[in-house]
Amino acid sequence: MSLGVTLLGPDIDHRRSLESMLGQPHKVQWLPDSNSHLASRPADEVTRLDRLAHRAGRLIGTFDALYLRDTTEALARQCTDVVIAYWGTEPLADLLAIRRRMPHVKLVLMVLCYPVSLTRAGVARQDWMMRRIMRVLDGVIFPNEAMRDHFRAAGLLGARVDALILPPCWTGSFQSTGDQPPGLTQPNVIFTGRTDLSSATVHAADDLRVLMRALLDAGIELHHVRSRETDDGHPLRRPFQPMRQAELIRTMARHDASLIAYNTTACERDDRFRLTVPDRLISTVAAGVPVAVPQDGYEGAKQYLQGHPGVLCFRDAAHLRQMLDDRVRVAELRAQAWAERGLYAAERHAPRLQGFLSALRSS
């Protein structure tokens, strides 16, 4: 049965993954969330009052007249049966507004990163927002069991809201084809997280300089995006220029492992890193690369990796170096991760998502 599906959120790679899962037989369109819509307007058209109104709308439901007019008209033209909103807490206010205007449309929230905040006050605010939105939702899509169980334990999941666990994956077109590229000789890891620590969008958990230095001092070659803050001249540091997603995935394939870590000690609350499947991990499995992750924490990421052939859980830098020194074993893990990368293509999960949406429409 064909459905009219509207994706609501920023124009990011998760949009393309959902489109690849729903393109057939369903009719799919994408609309920006109100924050993306506001950001796309010419700067001279956006007033200080518009920005204040947008912030206020996050608590009570979006009331931006221009955005609501464009969105409801597009939903009607599409004959939308289901809206799938994604990306943190950004679209929650938009879902409230859509429910008021189009009560017949089924509303689904795809929980990718939650909670976004790293402070106690911020988590409490976002929990309040999530409980409020559950009153109008029909379904929730979780990335793993850890996130779903957290929602249940914290009383965030509405009693009558249907839930689906759908591992987030990039579309298969992002993945490398052909033969696996040869590995590097020196024990090495690639880190694809933030290194531009002076950016306004960076938070304290992005600052991995202490761990980076420990890895370097342990004799591990470290590859990451070039930044002023990490330019210390260490002979094993291998900075590179920023790349597009597909190019990065191709480049990652020659490394021993991709480092998945955050500076969780800098956060009041580390729920986000215990529960979320970060985009850099999705890129790692798509690239067919083993994963290096700290032994403690990161439960959600480790659930996502269940069955993945190349996971290196390390206690500290010296432990990771010890594992990487076994070059025969590293070569085996690389070969296995490369062979299994096709299991992490979004298209493989299409039947589960389509079945979930069809059941929602019938309920």
Side-chain angles (χ1 to χ4, degrees), residues 33-36 38 49-59 62-64 90 93-94:
D33 59 280
S34 58
N35 188 56
S36 302
L38 184 67
L49 186 59
D50 288 330
R51 293 189 178 92
L52 290 174
H54 177 71
R55 290 172 189 159
R58 289 185 176 186
L59 299 177
T62 302
F63 52 85
D64 182 321
E90 286 296 337
D94 305 334

Side-chain angles (χ1 to χ4, degrees), residues 40-247:
S40 69
R41 297 182 198 172
D44 57 348
E45 292 183 7
V46 179
T47 67
R48 182 171 176 271
L49 186 59
D50 288 330
R51 293 189 178 92
L52 290 174
H54 177 71
R55 290 172 189 159
R58 289 185 176 186
L59 299 177
I60 60 177
T62 302
F63 52 85
D64 182 321
L66 179 60
Y67 173 75
L68 292 176
R69 183 201 68 194
D70 291 349
T71 299
T72 53
E73 288 179 356
L75 291 174
R77 283 196 305 271
Q78 172 77 354
C79 298
T80 296
D81 299 296
V82 181
V83 171
I84 303 178
Y86 56 91
W87 200 241
T89 57
E90 286 296 337
L92 301 188
D94 305 334
L95 291 174
L96 284 171
I98 291 170
R99 173 60 78 212
R100 292 168 186 155
R101 288 160 179 77
M102 307 184 80
H104 62 286
V105 174
K106 299 290 186 180
L107 301 181
V108 175
L109 177 65
M110 186 177 187
V111 179
L112 292 168
C113 179
Y114 190 84
V116 178
S117 179
L118 305 178
T119 66
R120 296 182 184 89
V123 172
R125 181 181 68 253
Q126 289 168 2
D127 282 354
W128 176 85
M129 294 169 63
M130 192 61 70
R131 291 188 184 96
R132 191 160 184 261
I133 196 65
M134 285 294 166
R135 302 172 190 169
V136 305
L137 288 183
D138 299 288
V140 181
I141 300 172
F142 293 111
N144 50 37
E145 293 87 350
M147 186 75 79
R148 180 202 59 196
D149 294 347
H150 172 78
F151 266 60
R152 286 175 174 170
L156 302 178
L157 184 60
R160 288 191 255 176
V161 178
D162 290 329
L164 170 69
I165 294 176
L166 187 75
C169 298
W170 298 145
T171 175
S173 63
F174 281 11
Q175 297 185 347
S176 300
T177 58
D179 296 331
Q180 182 181 28
L184 304 177
T185 303
Q186 172 77 26
N188 69 90
V189 296
I190 183 171
F191 174 67
T192 60
R194 300 291 299 270
T195 55
D196 55 333
L197 303 178
S198 60
S199 170
T201 59
V202 164
H203 49 67
D206 288 320
D207 188 354
L208 277 192
R209 284 177 292 184
V210 172
L211 176 58
M212 284 181 170
R213 188 69 194 199
L215 295 173
L216 292 166
D217 290 345
I220 298 174
E221 197 174 82
L222 178 61
H223 299 246
H224 61 77
V225 171
R226 185 183 305 277
S227 74
R228 182 177 55 194
E229 295 82 4
T230 56
D231 187 11
D232 59 4
H234 195 288
L236 291 179
R237 196 182 290 274
R238 301 287 184 267
F240 55 83
Q241 295 301 320
M243 306 177 196
R244 294 182 179 275
Q245 186 74 267
E247 183 184 3

